């Protein structure tokens, strides 16, 4: 497998462009491509031991990067970020091979498997050992990392196509016709372009569909017009720590809506405006406060609850109690609030633990709007008889709200199994006049519209009910099944909450769907304990100690590579090998045997020893010379065999000395 020039450099430039690290990619690209300008491409001698140590170094870089990301206060996604950093992580090993004379890296050098190795395992040529060329793999890593950045650019696919064509052209079959190769390549790249364009269109359609189904703080799709059993997950989504003396139930609102079209609630005046933190703090004031905070008497001070929440991609709505005056501890770069009281955070860690402080006089939900009293004509006919029967128009808002709540608690039942027996009626009409049974969305919608029909501004509110104790004292669990809806009405001075849903809904919605629910809860508890420890480590001295330990490990590995060797300059390594080769065999008895011949006739420069012995008439030394060659130059060194060969050489040299014609005239003299 060949790695053509510029393949790695262009791949790294694409990676840097896609990930926003263009200068880093350019520096790495220059480092790789400059090897073609050196006098000899192979500058370093890379042994198996050096490969192992470089691979260990790459793994240590990966582990250190993961630790750094894990302890980063910004809480980036560890897996995705490591994918984007792949070219940086494996750059040492790739550079080492690029500047060495090794075309393949054996698998045995990357991972030393247990077992006894053959004495000559490391001396076998790379072509006979299982391995691979790491340089094209490294170029592929750069392309994968560039794709992981999800670059929505028109040039990305053409760049990948060019790199693919460059690699395939360098590795095309030698006997294939270039024209046929280019035709197949164009067809393959065209098919790939059409496929990726289709995938992008499908993704855009899926995102648009999801946004139509659930629009967060702007629009919510209810299950009012659905039939069958309403299935809700028991997954734990929040944990709430209540202060001493505060008892559940407690309602945490995420968003409010003020227009109902028959099945969906929509939020008007839902424009979000950014909030600025209190200088030199992470606290955001939601309401300066000028009114009485409803159910929180001023004598109780400013109670604060702590909420632990997981965010998807670092963004989401914050569940807050109705009288929240300030929040702190999110670690978010963006905090926004809407006129209906929703609080949205963005660029926040994936796990946040924040404090919501309630204060007497807090008022952050704004004043009523004309749309807060709107009832569509289709619903007035079914609402007006109930308003008159309860006498709601003659009551104060608080008393009217209490009477509406009592009406539903007394005359209706809670159920997640829904049926439609009167299709000619709207779902709301059938709920109020026929079935008198439904889930919280029915009760919240009906109560909100009843209050509006009585002339009392009201809003539809969504959030969670806090009531289930957790395994840790003082911390309560909030599941997806605890998601709840309730009306919020204007009392004349402030917004107040009521819950018209019969109280039995809490036990029914908490009943386990699976006998393994305890296992899922145990896993969630373990994950929460881990994330809580991680959150504490990110904001304590432990982060510094862990990073310092990773730095010491990195220094240790660098020193290990430098001291134990395995990576040497090629010329230095060759010089040392030649010196060792010259030093071995210096004790050969053959040198003593030829001393007399050298005194009588010197050896010419570059003259072979056997030719010199023939010219000097010392043919009786030829057997000893052959043994001397084997003893000195055989590359397969074995102490026992070398010792036996030396003994044989001593015997041959001794016998040659006895038959030496030192006193006879020299023959074949020039």
């Amino acid at each position: 497998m060949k790695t053509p020039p510029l393949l790695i450099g262009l791949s790294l430039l694409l990676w840097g462009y896609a990930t926003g690290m263009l200068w880093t990619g350019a520096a790495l690209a220059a480092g790789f491509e400059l090897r073609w300008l050196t006098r000899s491409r192979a500058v370093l001698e890379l042994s198996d031991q050096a490969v192992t140590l470089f691979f260990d170094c790459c793994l240590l870089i990966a582990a250190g990067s993961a630790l750094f990301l894990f302890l980063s206060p910004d809480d980036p996604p560890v897996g995705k970020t490591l994918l984007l950093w792949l070219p940086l992580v494996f750059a040492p090993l790739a550079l080492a091979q690029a500047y060495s004379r090794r075309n393949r890296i054996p698998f045995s050098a990357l991972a030393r498997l247990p077992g006894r190795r053959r004495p000559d395992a490391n001396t076998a040529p790379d072509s006979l050992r299982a391995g691979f060329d790491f340089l094209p793999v490294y170029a592929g890593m750069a392309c994968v990392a560039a794709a992981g950045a999800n670059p929505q650019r028109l040039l990305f696919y053409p760049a990948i196509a060019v790199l693919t064509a460059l690699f395939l052209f360098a590795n095309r079959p030698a006997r294939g016709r270039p024209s046929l190769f280019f035709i197949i390549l164009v067809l393959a790249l065209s098919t790939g372009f059409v496929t990726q364009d289709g995938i992008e269109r499908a993704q855009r359609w899926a995102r648009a569909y999801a946004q139509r189904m659930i629009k967060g703080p702007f629009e919510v799709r209810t299950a009012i017009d659905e039939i069958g059993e309403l299935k809700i997950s028991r997954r734990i989504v929040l944990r709430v720590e209540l202060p001493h003396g505060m008892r559940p139930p407690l309602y945490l609102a995420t968003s409010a809506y003020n227009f109902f079209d028959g099945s969906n609630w929509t939020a008007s005046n839902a424009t979000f405006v950014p909030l600025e933190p209190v200088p030199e703090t992470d606290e955001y004031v939601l309401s300066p406060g000028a009114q009485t905070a409803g159910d929180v008497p001023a004598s109780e001070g400013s109670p604060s609850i702590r909420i632990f929440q997981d965010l998807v991609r670092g963004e989401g709505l914050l569940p807050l109690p109705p009288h929240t005056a300030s929040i702190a501890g999110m670690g978010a770069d963006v905090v926004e609030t809407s006129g209906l009281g929703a609080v949205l955070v963005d660029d926040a860690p994936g796990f946040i633990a924040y404090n919501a402080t309630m204060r007497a006089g807090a008022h952050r939900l704004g004043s009523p709007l004309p749309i807060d009293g709107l009832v569509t004509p289709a619903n007035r006919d079914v609402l007006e008889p109930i308003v008159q029967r309860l006498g709601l128009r003659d009551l104060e808002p608080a008393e009217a709200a209490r009477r509406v709540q009592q009406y539903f608690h007394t005359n209706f039942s809670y159920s997640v199994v829904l049926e439609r027996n009167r299709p000619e009626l709207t779902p709301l009409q059938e709920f109020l006049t026929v079935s008198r049974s439904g889930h919280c969305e029915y009760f919240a919608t009906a109560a909100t519209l009843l209050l509006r029909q009585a002339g009392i501004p009201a809003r539809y509110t969504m959030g969670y009910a806090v009531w289930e104790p957790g395994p840790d004292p003082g911390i309560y669990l909030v599941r997806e099944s605890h998601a709840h809806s309730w009306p919020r009405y204007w009392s004349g001075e402030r917004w107040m909450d009521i819950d018209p849903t019969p109280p039995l809904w809490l036990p029914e919605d908490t009943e386990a769907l699976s006998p393994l629910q305890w296992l899922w809860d145990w896993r969630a508890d373990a994950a929460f304990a881990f994330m809580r420890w991680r959150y504490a480590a990110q904001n304590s001295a432990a982060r510094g100690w862990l990073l310092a330990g990773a730095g010491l490990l990195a220094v240790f590995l660098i020193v290990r590579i430098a001291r134990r060797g395995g990576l040497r300059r090629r010329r230095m390594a060759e010089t040392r090998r030649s010196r060792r080769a010259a030093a071995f065999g210096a004790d050969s008895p053959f040198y003593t045997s030829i001393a007399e011949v050298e005194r009588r006739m010197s050896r010419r420069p570059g003259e072979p020893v056997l030719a010199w012995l023939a010219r000097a008439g010392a043919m009786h030394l030829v057997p000893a010379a052959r043994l001397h060659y084997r003893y000195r130059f055989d590359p397969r060194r074995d102490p026992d065999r070398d010792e036996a060969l030396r003994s044989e050489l001593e015997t041959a040299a001794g016998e040659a000395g006895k038959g030496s014609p030192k006193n006879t005239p020299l023959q074949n003299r020039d």
Side-chain angles (χ1 to χ4, degrees):
M1 187 180 299
K2 302 177 183 178
T3 305
L6 300 180
L7 177 66
I8 297 180
L10 293 177
S11 301
L12 289 171
L13 288 177
L14 175 63
W15 165 75
Y17 173 71
T19 59
M21 296 185 285
L22 184 58
W23 290 109
T24 303
L28 284 176
F32 277 96
E33 298 306 328
L34 283 177
R35 76 187 192 276
W36 301 105
L37 302 179
T38 58
R39 180 179 302 176
S40 174
R41 177 178 177 272
V43 177
L44 301 177
E45 177 71 16
L46 191 64
S47 67
D48 283 3
Q49 184 185 26
V51 172
T52 303
L53 294 178
F54 268 103
F55 186 68
D56 291 345
C57 181
C58 294
L59 294 182
L60 182 62
I61 293 175
S65 302
L67 180 63
F68 173 79
L69 296 171
F70 174 77
L71 296 176
S72 174
D74 296 333
D75 195 21
V78 177
K80 180 179 179 180
T81 307
L82 284 180
L83 174 65
L84 301 182
W85 289 0
L86 275 180
L88 291 174
V89 170
F90 288 95
L93 181 59
L95 283 169
Q97 184 191 348
Y99 283 91
S100 73
R101 60 180 181 180
R102 299 193 78 157
N103 295 324
R104 291 166 56 85
I105 292 181
F107 291 118
S108 59
L110 296 180
R112 303 282 186 179
L113 299 178
R116 190 172 181 177
R117 302 176 59 88
R118 298 191 308 271
D120 60 340
N122 290 331
T123 62
D126 288 346
S127 59
L128 300 180
R129 302 168 63 185
F132 66 104
D133 187 357
F134 184 66
L135 294 182
V137 174
Y138 181 75
M141 286 183 179
C143 294
V144 171
N150 194 22
Q152 301 294 331
R153 300 179 176 92
L154 295 177
L155 296 179
F156 181 75
Y157 184 81
I160 291 293
V162 169
L163 294 174
T164 304
L166 181 63
F167 175 75
L168 293 178
F169 182 78
N171 293 273
R172 71 188 188 279
R175 298 182 180 180
R177 290 185 296 178
S179 58
L180 180 61
F181 170 80
F182 280 110
I183 292 175
I184 296 176
L185 181 63
V186 170
L187 289 176
L189 295 179
S190 301
T191 303
F193 177 79
V194 173
T195 302
Q196 67 92 23
D197 182 67
I199 293 175
E200 287 185 358
R201 291 176 182 271
Q203 289 177 340
R204 288 195 296 266
W205 178 86
R207 284 194 295 267
Y209 178 78
Q211 291 174 356
R212 288 196 304 268
M213 296 298 293
I214 301 177
K215 298 188 178 179
F218 303 102
E219 182 177 344
V220 60
R221 175 185 170 90
T222 66
I224 288 181
D225 57 348
E226 297 180 3
I227 60 175
E229 184 176 0
L230 184 64
K231 298 290 187 179
I232 304 178
S233 170
R234 292 347 185 218
R235 184 176 65 91
I236 299 174
V237 295
L238 298 173
R239 294 173 192 262
V240 180
E241 184 176 2
L242 300 182
H244 180 72
M246 182 177 291
R247 294 290 181 266
L250 177 69
Y251 294 98
L252 305 179
T254 56
S255 53
Y257 307 88
N258 51 13
F259 176 74
F260 182 67
D261 63 2
S263 60
N264 297 329
W265 279 95
T266 306
S268 65
N269 191 33
T271 302
F272 281 82
V273 295
L275 293 176
E276 295 296 331
V278 176
E280 299 182 0
T281 68
D282 190 26
E283 181 181 9
Y284 293 82
V285 176
L286 302 180
S287 169
Q291 297 182 344
T292 304
D295 301 330
V296 184
S299 60
E300 293 186 15
S302 301
S304 177
I305 66 173
R306 189 165 180 79
I307 302 173
F308 303 90
Q309 181 180 0
D310 291 317
L311 297 177
V312 179
R313 295 185 296 274
E315 62 178 352
L317 294 168
L318 299 186
L320 298 173
H323 311 296
T324 303
S326 64
I327 52 178
M330 294 82 63
D333 293 337
V334 179
V335 179
E336 299 177 332
T337 184
S338 72
L340 299 182
V343 177
L344 178 70
V345 296
D346 198 358
D347 291 335
F351 174 82
I352 57 176
Y354 58 97
N355 296 321
T357 302
M358 298 173 285
R359 188 177 68 244
H363 176 57
R364 64 182 181 88
L365 304 179
S367 300
L369 302 172
I371 197 173
D372 292 325
L374 177 64
V375 179
T376 58
N379 294 316
R380 291 175 184 170
D381 293 339
V382 68
L383 296 172
E384 183 59 30
I386 302 176
V387 170
Q388 294 182 3
R389 188 186 323 138
L390 299 178
L392 299 181
R393 289 192 177 91
D394 300 329
L395 303 175
E396 293 293 327
E399 179 60 25
R402 187 195 66 79
R403 187 167 295 186
V404 168
Q405 176 176 281
Q406 185 65 26
Y407 170 72
F408 284 112
H409 286 185
T410 305
N411 301 285
F412 289 73
S413 63
Y414 179 83
S415 175
V416 294
V417 180
L418 308 176
E419 297 179 355
R420 292 295 306 276
N421 298 318
R422 299 284 299 277
E424 70 277 8
L425 300 178
T426 65
L428 185 61
Q429 290 173 342
E430 184 172 357
F431 168 72
L432 289 172
T433 60
V434 179
S435 66
R436 293 178 175 262
S437 177
H439 48 73
C440 62
E441 294 178 354
Y442 279 91
F443 288 98
T445 299
T448 301
L449 297 180
L450 275 175
L451 291 172
R452 289 184 174 188
Q453 186 68 20
I456 302 172
R459 295 171 179 172
Y460 178 91
T461 308
M462 292 188 64
Y464 297 94
V466 180
W467 73 275
E468 181 183 349
D472 299 323
I475 296 182
Y476 292 81
L477 305 180
V478 179
R479 305 176 185 271
E480 282 189 6
S481 59
H482 296 169
H484 196 43
S485 302
W486 64 90
R488 177 173 288 170
Y489 71 95
W490 179 252
S491 67
E493 297 179 349
R494 58 188 178 273
W495 291 98
M496 303 287 290
D497 292 344
I498 61 170
D499 188 3
T501 306
L504 292 178
W505 79 271
L506 288 173
E508 289 190 22
D509 272 359
T510 310
E511 185 178 343
L513 287 177
S514 169
L516 296 179
Q517 185 64 49
W518 64 272
L519 180 60
W520 315 139
D521 288 351
W522 176 85
R523 184 185 64 177
D525 293 339
F528 170 70
F530 173 75
M531 294 301 296
R532 199 175 184 183
W533 171 84
R534 177 187 178 189
Y535 181 85
Q538 289 173 341
N539 298 276
S540 67
R543 177 174 180 266
W545 285 107
L546 290 174
L547 293 177
L552 292 176
L553 285 177
V555 172
F556 169 76
L557 184 58
I558 294 173
V559 172
R560 183 185 176 199
I561 292 176
R563 296 189 61 182
R564 295 188 62 180
L567 177 67
R568 301 176 292 274
R569 291 192 58 84
R570 184 182 177 186
R571 295 176 181 175
M572 183 182 299
E574 291 177 349
T575 302
R576 291 178 180 176
R577 283 200 300 270
S578 63
R579 289 178 179 175
R580 285 198 299 269
F584 190 86
D587 59 343
S588 173
F590 180 70
Y591 293 119
T592 305
S593 302
I594 63 173
E596 181 64 24
V597 180
E598 287 180 336
R599 283 194 296 269
R600 289 187 285 115
M601 181 177 292
S602 63
R603 182 181 171 189
R604 295 171 182 173
E607 185 178 16
V609 173
L610 295 181
W612 170 61
L613 292 176
R615 185 170 60 85
M619 295 299 294
H620 61 287
L621 293 176
V622 170
R626 297 186 185 279
L627 289 173
H628 169 74
Y629 279 136
R630 291 175 54 194
Y631 176 66
R632 181 176 178 183
F633 298 110
D634 192 341
R636 296 172 297 175
R637 295 298 179 192
D638 184 5
D640 296 337
R641 189 178 59 81
D642 289 343
E643 186 62 29
L645 188 60
R646 191 178 187 282
S647 299
E648 186 178 354
L649 180 57
E650 288 180 352
T651 303
E655 293 178 353
K658 293 178 182 180
S660 173
K662 20 174 121 168
N663 299 323
T664 60
L666 292 176
Q667 303 174 3
N668 300 327
R669 278 184 156 306
D670 289 342

